[in-house]
Amino acid sequence: DRIARLGGMAMERAGLSSNLLPFLRSLVNVSLKILLVFSVAGIVGVDVTSFVAVLAAAGFAVGLALQGSLSNFAAGIIILLFRPYKIDDWIEVEDKFGRVEEIQIFNTIMVTPGLKTLIIPNGQVVDNIVTNYSKKGYIRIELNVAMPYSESFPKIKEIIMQELKAIPKVLKAPEPEVGIEAYDSHSVLLAVRPYAAPD
């Protein structure tokens, strides 16, 4: 019990999710008790190899039955340990975009800007590319503006920069960027790149 308590305190200090702590504490507690029983049986002189074989076979059968769930469980542990994202981060997984509401043992719960709840299995998160929009603290908005050939680019750039600086949610640093992206038959396509907080 004391070792399990110390393990629980270490997990709390590591900053693991409060949803996961009770589960991990009980897992450590049960594992230590099983280890203790086998150790005592070995010291007393009981042959534990048959017990170990039965446990291994049962574990293998359960593992095959719960293969998908176990991979999601392992992926949940990886997410909590390596933290590719945390609660309240804006992320995109498999073209699904939203704010992380909860990281559970088997699933990650996300809420889209349209207030739809997405339940994504952790195995899919680990196996795919995750785009974290909140990691840096700001994101670049990608806009395009068509400018007629008759206009002066420096003049238009100055007007756009003044307007961007007047918008309260556009960050002052990093500074917005305005440049020429492409030329087409009727106009010049300008790239306008202001930065904003992920929210």
Side-chain angles (χ1 to χ4, degrees):
D1 281 345
R2 191 183 215 174
I3 295 171
R5 231 179 294 120
L6 286 171
M9 285 163 54
M11 285 185 270
E12 275 179 39
R13 266 188 260 116
L16 291 179
S17 168
S18 56
N19 296 328
L20 188 59
L21 281 172
F23 174 80
L24 286 179
R25 275 197 202 108
S26 63
L27 186 68
V28 168
N29 201 5
V30 169
S31 302
L32 288 172
K33 284 178 181 169
I34 291 170
L35 187 63
L36 178 67
V37 168
F38 280 122
S39 300
V40 170
I43 291 168
V44 172
V46 176
D47 184 22
V48 293
T49 52
S50 57
F51 289 122
V52 171
V54 168
L55 274 176
F60 182 71
V62 170
L64 283 176
L66 300 173
Q67 192 173 6
S69 297
L70 287 175
S71 71
N72 287 332
F73 170 76
I77 299 296
I78 289 168
I79 290 166
L80 288 166
L81 288 177
F82 294 104
R83 296 175 178 256
Y85 54 82
K86 58 187 189 311
I87 290 170
D88 286 335
D89 278 2
W90 288 96
I91 66 169
E92 186 175 340
V93 181
E94 282 194 340
D95 297 329
K96 305 295 183 197
F97 173 75
R99 184 199 294 254
V100 177
E101 192 172 69
E102 198 175 338
I103 303 169
Q104 297 179 344
I105 295 170
F106 298 106
N107 304 302
T108 292
I109 311 297
M110 285 169 37
V111 177
T112 67
L115 298 180
K116 294 184 180 84
T117 300
L118 302 176
I119 301 165
I120 300 179
N122 287 333
Q124 286 186 22
V125 174
V126 170
D127 289 341
N128 287 288
I129 294 171
V130 177
T131 306
N132 188 332
Y133 292 91
S134 301
K135 192 88 170 169
K136 295 287 184 187
Y138 56 83
I139 55 170
R140 189 175 78 173
I141 313 297
E142 314 231 338
L143 307 169
N144 290 106
V145 174
M147 179 189 82
Y149 279 107
S150 57
E151 290 292 347
S152 160
F153 171 68
K155 176 185 158 197
I156 297 295
K157 179 180 178 178
E158 190 180 332
I159 292 168
I160 292 171
M161 290 295 280
Q162 282 174 359
E163 291 303 316
L164 288 174
K165 286 174 183 173
I167 299 170
K169 301 215 177 196
V170 170
L171 299 177
K172 306 290 181 254
E175 196 173 295
E177 301 163 4
V178 178
I180 295 172
E181 184 168 293
Y183 298 91
D184 65 26
S185 56
H186 302 295
S187 58
V188 180
L189 194 64
L190 303 182
V192 180
R193 306 287 185 255
Y195 291 84
D199 285 347

